[in-house]
Amino acid sequence: MAARIKKGDKVIVLTGRDKGAEGEVLKVDPKENRVTVQGVNVIKRHTKPSQSSAGGIVTREAPIHVSNVAIADPKDGKPTRVGFEVRDGKKVRVAKRSGEAIDV
């Protein structure tokens, strides 16, 4: 299956505690169908000190399921589904809402 959401995409959270939040995709895990979004699903972890880090309370983003996010339409910024078209001999991702190409 082709990747509908990629690293660097602007996405909107559709459900859950962070519903309505927008952010950039930092990491995609296609095997687990999860994405890590900047500033979304922030958790705190208590870490032990080690040689590389001082330890303490670390805040970081936890992954969320890919079905709970949608790409922001390049035209109006609202959530949209993703389709694929061949334009100029290249397969590009297209926003279903406006028909605009997502890949620039």
Side-chain angles (χ1 to χ4, degrees):
M1 186 175 147
R4 296 182 189 281
I5 295 179
K6 295 181 179 178
K7 181 179 175 179
D9 284 345
K10 192 98 170 145
V11 294
I12 299 166
V13 180
L14 301 176
T15 58
R17 184 181 65 193
D18 294 308
K19 182 178 179 177
E22 291 183 43
E24 188 179 316
V25 176
L26 302 173
K27 188 178 169 189
V28 178
D29 186 358
K31 220 172 193 178
E32 299 288 328
N33 285 327
R34 292 185 170 270
V35 292
T36 305
V37 182
Q38 189 174 10
V40 173
N41 198 23
V42 177
I43 58 168
K44 290 187 176 197
R45 282 286 171 261
H46 298 259
T47 58
K48 277 181 148 179
S50 65
Q51 281 188 324
S52 59
S53 67
I57 301 170
V58 179
T59 57
R60 61 183 179 94
E61 292 91 357
I64 58 175
H65 200 268
V66 74
S67 66
N68 294 335
V69 297
I71 288 193
D73 195 316
K75 208 171 198 177
D76 60 5
K78 292 186 178 174
T80 182
R81 290 175 297 139
V82 178
F84 293 92
E85 283 182 10
V86 177
R87 295 186 180 176
D88 303 324
K90 279 187 131 181
K91 185 178 177 183
V92 293
R93 294 181 300 157
V94 176
K96 289 278 193 177
R97 186 180 172 88
S98 64
E100 294 236 347
I102 295 167
D103 299 316
V104 180

